[in-house]
Amino acid sequence: MLGVIDLPTYLVGLVLIVLLPGPNSLYVLSVAARRGVRAGYRAAAGVWCGDAVLMTLSAAGVASLLQANAVLFGIVKYAGAGYLTWLAVGMLRAAWAMWRTRRERAGAGSAPAAPVAGERPFRRALVVSLFNPKAILFFVAFFVQFVDPGYAYPALSFVVLGAFAQLASFLYLTALIFGGTKLAAAFRRRKALSAGATSAAGALFLGFAVKLSLASSV
């Protein structure tokens, strides 16, 4: 079908890959839990746009350029790791503020909670997606296994595979968004749970940053 071979195997592998936790899905879940469905979909839209750009770059040959140029790969890699670290620090600071507010409320009765600083979910999710050179290499390495080398229009095969990937991502992130809004009610009732979850998310983002900084182009 349009140069795509062994589609059932591709779909099975795609589902397993999409279900793996990563900074994008974790950020979407975090936004949905804290700010609701609309903000969650704004973050998800950033992921989808970022993935679409990476798939296009992969098909255009940028993956080969990154793989061959260690300096360029390192620049993108460390920029992405730095951004993930910045997000992690912000989450950990927010968690600390929640713990402090909880203690103050426990001692002073019903003091109002500290307002959450504004953020731009779409932009943050987009940047997290784009500053991940391993994702570009992954897309080309995974997609090429299911493209018929004899097909006259391989770019069209990449489009078909990318469309299935975006559909799987849409379904998965939608489930996370609505699951996150259910978590939000529990977070509002239990500040300790909210602070603990935010702390865990910050720690995970630090882990993602370290993992990305240690990644190689091969």
Side-chain angles (χ1 to χ4, degrees):
M1 181 184 73
L2 300 177
V4 176
I5 58 177
D6 206 1
L7 182 60
T9 301
Y10 169 75
L11 294 177
V12 171
L14 180 63
V15 169
L16 294 176
I17 291 166
V18 167
L19 291 177
L20 290 175
N24 290 339
S25 57
L26 180 61
Y27 181 66
V28 171
L29 176 61
S30 172
V31 169
R34 290 182 287 108
R35 299 183 55 185
V37 170
R38 292 183 64 182
Y41 270 113
R42 285 199 293 272
V47 174
W48 297 325
C49 288
D51 285 349
V53 170
L54 295 184
M55 291 176 195
T56 302
L57 293 176
S58 299
V62 174
S64 299
L65 178 62
L66 284 174
Q67 199 163 21
N69 192 321
V71 174
L72 179 59
F73 182 87
I75 291 173
V76 178
K77 177 180 72 174
Y78 287 117
Y83 189 73
L84 288 176
T85 301
W86 180 73
L87 289 179
V89 170
M91 290 180 178
L92 292 174
R93 290 180 61 188
W96 170 250
M98 292 176 191
W99 285 113
R100 186 175 58 189
T101 301
R102 180 173 177 267
R103 289 197 299 267
E104 290 173 353
R105 291 185 65 181
S110 58
V116 178
E119 62 180 307
R120 298 177 179 176
F122 176 86
R123 186 177 67 179
R124 287 195 177 186
L126 178 64
V127 173
V128 169
S129 295
L130 293 179
F131 279 95
N132 186 2
K134 294 295 285 186
I136 301 178
L137 299 179
F138 162 77
F139 280 128
V140 72
F142 183 59
F143 283 8
V144 75
Q145 301 175 59
F146 302 96
V147 175
D148 183 356
Y151 188 63
Y153 307 102
L156 183 57
S157 304
F158 269 81
V159 170
V160 173
L161 294 173
F164 278 114
Q166 291 286 52
L167 176 60
S169 177
F170 173 81
L171 295 175
Y172 177 56
L173 292 182
T174 293
L176 289 184
I177 288 168
F178 284 96
T181 56
K182 292 183 178 179
L183 290 175
F187 287 167
R188 284 192 293 267
R189 291 193 303 269
R190 301 176 63 182
K191 296 299 180 182
L193 177 63
S194 179
T198 304
S199 299
L204 283 173
F205 265 74
L206 279 179
F208 291 137
V210 171
K211 182 179 179 181
L212 179 57
S213 68
L214 297 176
S216 65
S217 61
V218 293

